[in-house]
Amino acid sequence: MHIALLWICPLWLWAQPYHVHTVPGAPPQAQVLLQDRQGMIWIGTGAGLLTHDGVSFRAIPSPSHVGGITALHEAPDGTCWAGYNDGHLATVTMDTLRMFEPEEGTPAVAITGMLTDRRGVFWVATYGEGIYYLDGGRFYNLNTDDGLADNVVYSLRQGPGQAVWACTDQGVSICEVSRAQKHVTTISMARGLPDNIVRDVWFSGDSVAWLGLYDYGVCQYRIADSQLITSPDVWTWGPVRRIQSVAGEVWVMTDHDELVILAPDDLRVRRHFRLAGSAARLRDMMQDDEGNLWLAGQAGLFRLYPYVYWLEDPAGITRQNIRAVQPDSAGGGWIAAGGSLYQLSPLGAGWSITRRLTGVSGAESEIISLYEDPTGDVWAGTYGVGLYRFAAAGGPPRRYTTSDGLMADNTLAMGGHGDERWMATSAGVTYGRLQGDGSYRFTNAATSSLPGITYVYDILADRQGRVWFGTDGKGLAYRDQGDLRQVAATQAAELKVIYGLAEDTQGHIWATTAHGVLKLAGDSLAVLGPAQGLTTPDMQGIARDVAGNILLLHANGLDIVSSREGNVTRLGAYVGLSDLTPDLNTLQPDGQGRVWIGTERGLLIYTPLPDTYRRRPRLLLDRILINLQEQAAAGQRVFRWHENYLTFQFKALWYQEPAAVQYQYQLVGYDLDWVNTLDRAVTYAQLKPGTYTLRLRASLPEQWARAEIVTYAFEIRPPFWQTPWFVLGIILVFGTALYFFISTREKRLRRAAQLEQENIRFELETLRNQVNPHFLFNAFNTLVSLIEDNPRHAVNYVNRLSDFFRNMLEYRGRDLITLRRELDLLDDYRYLLQERYGDALRLEIDLKPETLDLGIPPLTLQMLIENAVKHNVITHALPLVITLTAGDNTYLEVRNPIRKKRTPTTSTRLGLANIRQRYHLLSQLPVVIHEDDGVFAVSVPLLPLSDV
């Protein structure tokens, strides 16, 4: 087999599509979007106002006499403003909407935009009455009589300095005001605009403004010299509605539901696409602080991630299974797909494509690796037919095989320094050096000093001049100043096969294996996997992007390890990355800051997210409920003694993948450690008077060390009779009387102490006496039922029942017994129950050996098991599983699912009350009863036998 040279005509490529996610549950008629400083998304619709946290929507009711919302704005003090299509204005604080009614009145036409300028002046744009602004407590109007270009204003933007730019039907007006003083200049067709109707404006720093026009798309206005630059492309996508800078490009949304992406320097059209269905009727566009782009329309709410898109060509050439990619220094790149090699070159707003090599399909002719050397030459490694070099100067490629010194005709990876070239093959490493005549001489890299190094998957030439080898079976090796060495820490069986290599900005070496990602920092080796936040331990590609982040490619997405914070961002199905099936040489950064990703479905382009965007969830303490009803006031930190049943509701904002967020909470002074939860609320009942601090944190999987902690310190005041002043008053009132009775003080104290001891003994004895008849009543009921249903086992049941009572009588007089003895008692009781219920009743015990020597009041477990059996349905179709666990040796938890009987069983209500009271007398630790999500759980303290 051989590979032939073939040239074909250039083809035009368009990049599309982005993965557009339709937000479930979003309301129709979405017209305007806002993200507030806390990160919450606000949506103004034709029916009112909503907020969205990534999981659910919350409606904020508007008065019935107002129309739909057409503008939203957050003021510097955190107040959100809503503007309506009938001219009304409202403020929103703590989910409460109040109509704004200035003395001068509000507009009678639709509100189209609002902002607060750098001086603190509040501006309102209208569709027909010009602009209103609130300055010094007075509402002023600015219209055509004051020099405004037109009274129809589409949008307002803060421009450089103090000026506010207003987009109108007669150009864009640049406005500055101070109380009643107004100054307006206008950019219109008279000053070179191709279209008088300006719908929106967006600024690039203080030097450039992009103007969105009705008929002529977008033009660029250079503020310093007032120069206008128009796009060289004919605009055919309809009137511009919104314009914004996104991912280093200019994104334009039109009235025709088109999204057009322009180059920021010359405004050439790079990409364009429409939403599926073409009936979205888009009205607004906004980028959030995670980098997501939100689109509001009559059909609902949409979100896309603008930093990842597919490269698609009409002929479908790049949609084949890609085996290797290599961006080049000329701004284009190379793709090995479908047995052929293609070169992509920049052409206008798209690409041209040229087929450079083709051959008979089959493993022996597959191109599996690509590499651009420092001279600009591109090398193509094949599986079976050698190596090809394409000179930067052009011309046909030069082919190299084993006859030229290659170790094998299978080249898996390549790398190099200066004029050195390193080739990883299935028979070892080949070393080549550029000769004076432009040719290469290849020799064996002499790996004999490390026997067994033959199959090498990847090669990395680092900044220190070392060359690293990812081997198949010998771990990680490197060549330094002529010596070949192995990294001993990679000789563990699961780390011996190294697939890919990369170097980060600190000079650390990263490597991928089937069992984790390695990070070698000096002599320290760390293994990263799901426990450190990665999606999977098995990565198919690794590279470093322009921001220094380590990119890890796998079958279902891209994991990004931040060089700045060390946290992991996972891009998967939620942003359109799934079922990628990439090969080892399909992840490569280019010279423009992008990253090329070759997959089985085609070529992906990824642009690193700038550091200004968030890379972890933002946690908010949403609201506090008192006694499940009243909402705590804003800023409330002090509660009365009976306001001690508190529910804390919280949420984490992570719009890319809200389902991936995990939560932990801890009430300092109450919880011993962080508590994991999937709920977004926690309730504390019957808190004692004192000071507390609630700590909350939210994280992407297994990244707690870097999670932000939100704290809420509060106090529960004691009742007046427990306050110092009340006690002092009592002392003053009764001080004199106590003085006259001081002679009898010791006698009364001794008597009170004796009486307290007698009371404790009496209460304990009473509780013990409750145990025997309480159990006996239920045991005889079980025996009667067993005699009726299973006569053969009745005798054995009686014997075991006798053993149980014998042991119960032996221990019932004790305050505490070991958990080991309590489990012995429970074993007889379990037998008695299973004689009746069989496999429909299961008891699962998961206890550590050291737990068995701790103390517990006798018959506690029997009463808890009895309680679960009494109140729940037990059938073979719905078996009752009772679980005993003791995680930290402090509490023993008895847990069972709740399946209440249709006809409740008559209960004496002595069981749980008895256990509570016995613990009250024996220990200060409370019995905790918890019922949530269909599970009933009782946690009883485990006590040292020396405590009693």
Side-chain angles (χ1 to χ4, degrees), residues 902-946:
R902 293 185 177 180
T903 304
T905 303
T906 302
S907 174
T908 61
R909 300 186 180 273
L910 292 177
L912 294 177
N914 179 284
I915 293 172
R916 283 178 182 265
Q917 188 65 9
R918 291 163 76 188
Y919 269 104
H920 175 70
L921 296 172
L922 294 172
S923 171
Q924 294 182 351
L925 294 175
V927 174
V928 179
I929 300 174
H930 184 62
E931 181 175 340
D932 189 23
D933 292 336
V935 175
F936 183 82
V938 179
S939 296
V940 296
L942 294 174
L943 307 175
L945 293 178
S946 60

Side-chain angles (χ1 to χ4, degrees), residues 616-628:
R616 59 166 64 102
R618 184 200 299 261
L619 182 62
L620 305 177
L621 179 58
D622 191 23
R623 63 177 66 191
I624 303 169
L625 299 181
I626 303 171
N627 299 331
L628 297 179

Side-chain angles (χ1 to χ4, degrees), residues 523-781:
D523 296 329
S524 175
L525 182 72
V527 182
L528 283 67
Q532 288 73 40
L534 297 183
T535 302
T536 174
D538 187 11
M539 299 292 177
Q540 281 73 54
I542 183 170
R544 185 189 74 203
D545 67 18
V546 68
N549 306 311
I550 294 297
L551 309 180
L552 299 167
L553 182 65
H554 54 89
N556 289 307
L558 187 68
D559 286 7
I560 304 155
V561 184
S562 170
S563 62
R564 182 167 58 98
E565 299 178 349
N567 61 297
V568 179
T569 301
R570 310 196 306 189
L571 301 180
Y574 217 69
V575 297
L577 302 185
S578 61
D579 301 324
L580 302 179
T581 319
D583 282 318
L584 295 181
N585 296 312
T586 54
L587 182 68
Q588 293 291 339
D590 69 6
Q592 286 75 47
R594 302 168 303 187
V595 178
W596 291 34
I597 305 172
T599 76
E600 192 176 52
R601 297 160 51 195
L603 182 64
L604 276 167
I605 304 295
Y606 164 71
T607 303
L609 187 70
D611 288 341
T612 53
Y613 292 95
R614 294 186 61 84
R615 284 176 167 80
R616 59 166 64 102
R618 184 200 299 261
L619 182 62
L620 305 177
L621 179 58
D622 191 23
R623 63 177 66 191
I624 303 169
L625 299 181
I626 303 171
N627 299 331
L628 297 179
Q629 296 179 349
E630 178 185 357
Q631 181 175 344
Q636 184 174 352
R637 300 278 178 162
V638 178
F639 301 90
R640 292 172 291 180
W641 65 272
H642 61 278
E643 296 176 330
N644 61 347
Y645 195 110
L646 299 178
T647 298
F648 300 93
Q649 296 179 353
F650 46 86
K651 62 183 65 174
L653 305 179
W654 185 247
Y655 297 104
Q656 289 184 21
E657 192 175 5
V661 178
Q662 300 173 341
Y663 296 93
Q664 288 185 341
Y665 64 87
Q666 180 188 28
L667 186 61
V668 179
Y670 188 93
D671 296 318
L672 298 179
D673 200 354
W674 289 100
V675 180
N676 295 315
T677 182
L678 295 177
D679 298 325
R680 302 201 298 173
V682 58
T683 297
Y684 288 95
Q686 305 301 317
L687 288 174
K688 296 179 180 180
T691 57
Y692 299 89
T693 298
L694 178 68
R695 305 173 73 206
L696 300 167
R697 61 183 180 182
S699 171
L700 296 176
E702 308 304 331
Q703 299 187 56
W704 296 113
R706 301 176 183 88
E708 298 175 356
I709 298 177
V710 172
T711 61
Y712 176 78
F714 63 97
E715 177 187 359
I716 297 179
R717 293 276 177 84
F720 73 91
W721 58 86
Q722 294 181 6
T723 57
W725 64 264
F726 183 82
V727 174
L728 180 61
I730 293 298
I731 293 175
L732 292 176
V733 171
F734 292 99
T736 303
L738 289 176
Y739 174 79
F740 288 107
F741 290 96
I742 194 67
S743 59
T744 61
R745 178 176 178 275
E746 292 298 326
K747 180 178 179 180
R748 285 188 287 108
L749 289 176
R750 286 195 298 271
R751 182 177 178 183
Q754 293 172 356
L755 181 60
E756 182 178 358
Q757 292 178 0
E758 291 298 324
N759 285 338
I760 291 174
R761 293 193 187 98
F762 176 78
E763 290 184 40
L764 283 173
E765 186 62 29
T766 301
L767 292 172
R768 293 188 193 114
N769 291 335
Q770 288 178 351
V771 171
N772 193 31
H774 181 68
F775 168 72
L776 190 60
F777 172 78
N778 289 284
F780 282 151
N781 281 343

Side-chain angles (χ1 to χ4, degrees), residues 3-20:
I3 294 183
L5 182 66
L6 180 67
W7 300 87
I8 63 174
C9 296
L11 296 175
W12 190 267
L13 297 183
W14 288 104
Q16 79 156 5
Y18 291 86
H19 176 74
V20 179

Side-chain angles (χ1 to χ4, degrees), residues 392-473:
R398 167 71 189 274
R399 182 184 177 197
Y400 302 91
T401 65
T402 52
S403 62
D404 299 295
L406 293 182
M407 294 293 295
D409 285 335
N410 306 321
T411 305
L412 284 74
M414 293 166 278
H417 283 298
D419 59 359
E420 297 179 347
R421 306 292 174 260
W422 296 84
M423 313 297 173
T425 76
S426 59
V429 179
T430 297
Y431 166 78
R433 181 180 289 274
L434 180 65
Q435 305 301 306
D437 60 358
S439 64
Y440 282 85
R441 179 177 298 170
F442 295 99
T443 59
N444 186 347
T447 57
S448 58
S449 60
L450 292 177
I453 294 183
T454 55
Y455 209 99
V456 177
Y457 283 110
D458 200 9
I459 287 180
L460 170 69
D462 71 11
R463 289 174 293 173
Q464 299 181 37
R466 299 172 297 183
V467 181
W468 295 79
F469 308 107
T471 74
D472 183 11

